[in-house]
Structures are given as C-alpha cells and as structure tokens.
Amino acid sequence: MTDVAFVALACGLIIGIGALGACIGVGIMAAKYIESSARQPELMNVLQTKVFLLLGLIDASFIIGVGIALWFATANPFAG
C-alpha cells in the first residue's frame, strides 16, 4: 500500500475509535446520572450541571481527534 492509504486508514481509526470511546463514555455517564437522580432527586440540579460540563469535555476530546484526522488527511505532515 502507499503512504496515502496508510494515512486514510489512520484517519479512519482516529475518528472511529474516538467516536466509540465518546459514545461509551456519554452512555455510562448518562446512565449513572439517571440512577443517581432517581436515588436522590434533591441533587438533580447540581448533578445536571456537572453532567453537561463533562459532556462538553468528552465531546471536545472527540472533536479534537476529528480535527487532527482531517489535518492528516488534507495536509499530510508525514509526506516527504
């Protein structure tokens, strides 16, 4: 395979594994939030703020990975 094929494969892996990790993280976090708010409804507002903050951080890490993958795909820094 050529170098371009390896870059395309790497970009696909970066985006795919990043999306998988972000989806699993958001799913676990949402499940724990629903479970904890069902146990103690008086803490729902405090927990909701923290959930949205963590949701932004989890999605930001995935979006940074997509940006790096797009950078590799458009301007290959490893090309000689």
Side-chain angles (χ1 to χ4, degrees), residues 3-25:
D3 291 338
V4 176
F6 285 130
V7 171
L9 182 64
C11 291
L13 286 173
I14 289 171
I15 293 173
I17 294 173
L20 180 68
C23 290
I24 290 172

Side-chain angles (χ1 to χ4, degrees), residues 13-76:
L13 286 173
I14 289 171
I15 293 173
I17 294 173
L20 180 68
C23 290
I24 290 172
V26 168
I28 291 172
M29 183 183 61
K32 294 296 182 179
Y33 167 69
I34 291 172
E35 180 183 340
S36 62
S37 62
R39 289 178 186 263
Q40 293 184 333
E42 65 272 5
L43 293 178
M44 187 180 283
N45 291 333
V46 176
L47 292 173
Q48 186 177 14
T49 304
K50 293 178 182 176
V51 164
F52 282 125
L53 177 67
L54 288 173
L55 179 69
L57 291 173
I58 291 170
D59 284 341
S61 65
F62 168 65
I63 291 172
I64 289 170
V66 170
I68 291 171
L70 289 174
W71 176 52
F72 284 166
T74 56
N76 186 1

